[in-house]
Amino acid sequence: MTWINENYLKLQAGYLFPEIGRRRRAFQAAHPDAKIISMGIGDVTQPLAPAVVKAMKKAVEEMGRAETFKGYDDGGIGYEFLRQAIRDNDYKARGVEIDIDEIIISDGAKCDTGNMQEIFGLDNVVAVSDPVYPVYVDTNVMAGRTGAASEKGRYEGIVYMPCTEENNFVPQPPAGKVDLIYLCFPNNPTGAVATKEQLAEWVDYTRRNKAIILFDAAYEAYISEPDIPHSIYEVDGAKDVAIEFRSFSKTAGFTGVRCAFTVIPKQLKAYTKDGRAVEVGPIWKRRHCTKFNGVSYVTQAGAAAVYTKDGKKQIKQTIDFYMSNARLIRETLGKIGYTVYGGVNAPYIWLKIPDGVGSWEFFDTLLNKAHVVTTPGAGFGSAGEGYVRLTAFGTPANVEEALKRIKTIS
Ligand code: PLP
C-alpha cells in the first residue's frame, strides 16, 4: 500500500480561477454574441522587447555551433554575466551592495517563493498577509506546517495579517512572535506598496525575533513614486534578516520564457535546535542544485539583455503602456464614484465594492451586465471580501471599452 501525503488533502480546491472560468463559459454559452473583456488575468500581453529577442536569437546561434555550444549551466545557479548585470543594475545602482554569489537564478519566483519554505523547520510559525498570493500558503500546507482550513478558508497554525483600508493594506508586525514572514510589495492583489519606514519596522521586528522575511518583489519594476524602496535591502539591517525574490515575468514579459532570481545575503542565518547559527544561502543552493539543473543559456542571455541600454528603454515603454491602462482604470472608476486602491506602483487595481455587496456577487454583476471579467477579492483570502481585483495588462482599446460599459451600469 502506498500512503499519500495527507497534507495535500487539506488544500482547498484550486477554486478561484476555475470558478471564474466556469462562470465566464456559462455566461458566454447563454449569450454567444456577448464580447467578454477580461480584466482579471494576471498575465502580460505585450511581446518581448526587441533587445531580448535579438539576444536570444544570438544565443540560439551560439548553441548551434560546437565552439560556442553550452550544456548545463555550471553549478545551476546562473551564469556570471547575468548575476553581474543584476548586481550592478538592480542593486549597486540603488546603493545596495550585493555579491554575485548571493544571487541565485531560477525559472520563476513562483517556484522560489513556493520552495523556499522547504529549507526551514516544520515548527516555524508562518505569517502571511490577508489577502495573499496563494502560493505562500499552499506550499506551507503541503509541507505540513498547518492544520485544516476553517470555513473562512484560513488554515490553523498560520498567522494571517489583515490588509485593510485602515492600515493602507500594509500589515503591522504582529504582537506575538512569528518566524517566517511573507511580504509582497508592490502587492498582488491590492497594488499597495510599503514605505521605507514601514519596511524598517518589519526589519526591526524580525531582527529582535531572529525571524526571517521572505520578500517578494516580483512587481518592483512598476514602482513609479520616487520614495518607495525597490528592494528590502534599501533598509538598514535587512541583509541580516531578509531573502528577496525577483522575476523577469512582469518586468520584461518573461511569463512564458521563465527566468527569475533570489537573493540570500551571506550574513542571513537560521538556527539549529541547539542554538547554532547556520548560513541560509548555502543550504538554499544545496537544495536548488539538487532539484534543478539551471535556466537555459538562451533564456539567461535574453534576461541579461533587459539590462542593456536598449533593453531598459524598451521594457520601460511596455511598463508605461500597462501603467497608462492602470491610470485610466483608476481615474475612470474614481470619477464614476468607486473607491479604488493600487494602480500607481503596481499593475493591479483593488476596487472597493459599494454597499457591502459580496465580491462574487459583484463579479457576477460585472459579468452579466457589462460583460467584464474581474477577480473576486475573496479568492485571495477572507480580508479580500468586499473587493475585486482589476489588472492593467489588457490593451487600451479593451480597457476603454470595459470602463465605458461599467460606467453605463453604475
Ligand atoms: N509573486 C507574485 C506576487 C506574483 O503575482 C507572481 C505571478 O503572478 C509570481 C510571484 C510568479 O512569478 P514567476 O512568473 O516568476 O513565477
Side-chain angles (χ1 to χ4, degrees):
M1 183 132 35
T2 306
W3 313 111
I4 198 76
N5 176 348
E6 291 191 26
N7 294 316
Y8 279 69
L9 306 182
K10 295 177 200 161
L11 289 168
Q12 292 158 293
Y15 174 67
L16 180 61
F17 290 101
E19 180 58 19
I20 291 173
R22 193 191 66 73
R23 292 187 190 209
R24 179 187 173 144
R25 281 189 303 277
F27 177 79
Q28 190 77 80
H31 306 87
D33 294 335
K35 285 202 170 43
I36 297 177
I37 298 175
S38 178
M39 292 180 97
I41 48 157
D43 198 354
V44 293
T45 53
Q46 295 304 297
L48 293 173
V52 169
V53 174
K54 190 169 154 203
M56 291 180 88
K57 280 186 179 165
K58 180 168 169 277
V60 170
E61 292 298 332
E62 288 174 47
M63 293 295 276
R65 285 193 301 272
E67 317 81 78
T68 45
F69 171 78
K70 289 186 170 55
Y72 291 125
D73 156 9
D74 189 23
I77 63 163
Y79 287 102
E80 272 194 27
F81 67 79
L82 178 55
R83 290 184 289 129
Q84 279 164 359
I86 291 168
R87 175 199 60 194
D88 295 344
N89 293 279
D90 284 324
Y91 294 103
K92 214 178 194 146
R94 302 197 68 82
V96 175
E97 286 301 323
I98 293 289
D99 195 273
I100 63 163
D101 294 340
E102 298 171 316
I103 300 168
I104 304 111
I105 309 295
S106 79
D107 61 346
K110 185 179 213 175
C111 319
D112 287 351
T113 55
N115 291 330
M116 188 55 71
Q117 50 76 29
E118 277 187 23
I119 66 165
F120 297 109
L122 284 183
D123 41 9
N124 284 301
V125 176
V126 169
V128 297
S129 301
D130 178 6
V132 66
Y133 178 55
V135 172
Y136 316 148
V137 174
D138 287 1
T139 51
N140 277 289
V141 175
M142 291 170 181
R145 245 177 233 107
T146 74
S150 72
E151 250 178 43
K152 274 174 101 183
R154 288 185 162 186
Y155 292 93
E156 192 192 328
I158 287 192
V159 174
Y160 289 88
M161 305 180 291
C163 296
T164 60
E165 278 180 305
E166 287 70 38
N167 61 16
N168 248 330
F169 305 98
V170 179
Q172 286 277 311
K177 187 180 170 329
V178 295
D179 308 303
L180 267 182
I181 302 144
Y182 290 83
L183 294 179
C184 172
F185 293 110
N187 190 265
N188 176 12
T190 66
V193 281
T195 62
K196 203 165 177 181
E197 292 69 33
Q198 285 168 320
L199 289 182
E201 275 185 54
W202 272 107
V203 167
D204 182 46
Y205 169 91
T206 311
R207 291 171 68 91
R208 275 189 279 112
N209 288 289
K210 291 197 160 128
I212 289 181
I213 295 174
L214 302 175
F215 191 77
D216 186 345
Y219 296 95
E220 164 277 333
Y222 289 81
I223 293 173
S224 66
E225 291 178 314
D227 295 341
I228 301 297
H230 287 235
S231 164
I232 192 156
Y233 304 125
E234 289 177 46
V235 175
D236 285 342
K239 277 166 78 177
D240 294 336
V241 291
I243 292 174
E244 182 161 289
F245 304 96
R246 295 271 188 109
S247 171
F248 292 94
S249 283
K250 307 297 160 72
T251 304
F254 271 49
T255 51
V257 178
R258 312 305 303 146
C259 196
F261 61 93
T262 288
V263 178
I264 308 186
K266 291 201 176 94
Q267 62 261 51
L268 184 87
K269 306 268 176 24
Y271 298 86
T272 61
K273 280 287 154 76
D274 59 9
R276 255 181 325 119
V278 178
E279 265 187 55
V280 174
I283 300 203
W284 173 249
K285 284 184 191 165
R286 182 75 172 81
R287 185 230 164 262
H288 190 69
C289 300
T290 299
K291 297 192 174 185
F292 184 64
N293 249 339
V295 174
S296 79
Y297 172 65
V298 175
T299 296
Q300 294 193 56
V306 166
Y307 298 106
T308 59
K309 197 164 158 247
D310 284 348
K312 282 182 190 170
K313 200 167 96 197
Q314 292 158 3
I315 65 161
K316 185 173 178 307
Q317 277 165 359
T318 305
I319 289 172
D320 288 348
F321 171 91
Y322 293 136
M323 289 312 280
S324 83
N325 288 339
R327 193 177 320 112
L328 186 64
I329 300 171
R330 212 166 22 88
E331 290 177 357
T332 313
L333 293 174
K335 276 189 205 139
I336 302 173
Y338 289 110
T339 304
V340 286
Y341 297 95
V344 176
N345 297 295
Y348 296 119
I349 292 95
W350 196 232
L351 181 156
K352 187 178 180 194
I353 306 167
D355 305 329
V357 175
S359 54
W360 278 106
E361 197 185 326
F362 191 68
F363 167 90
D364 283 335
T365 306
L366 290 182
L367 176 60
N368 290 314
K369 296 196 174 151
H371 311 168
V372 171
V373 175
T374 54
T375 311
F380 297 99
S382 54
E385 183 51 276
Y387 292 87
V388 290
R389 187 192 75 173
L390 303 167
T391 80
F393 291 126
T395 60
N398 274 352
V399 169
E400 273 172 37
E401 172 62 22
L403 291 169
K404 203 164 82 193
R405 295 186 200 163
I406 295 175
K407 203 170 176 176
T408 354
I409 65 154
S410 302

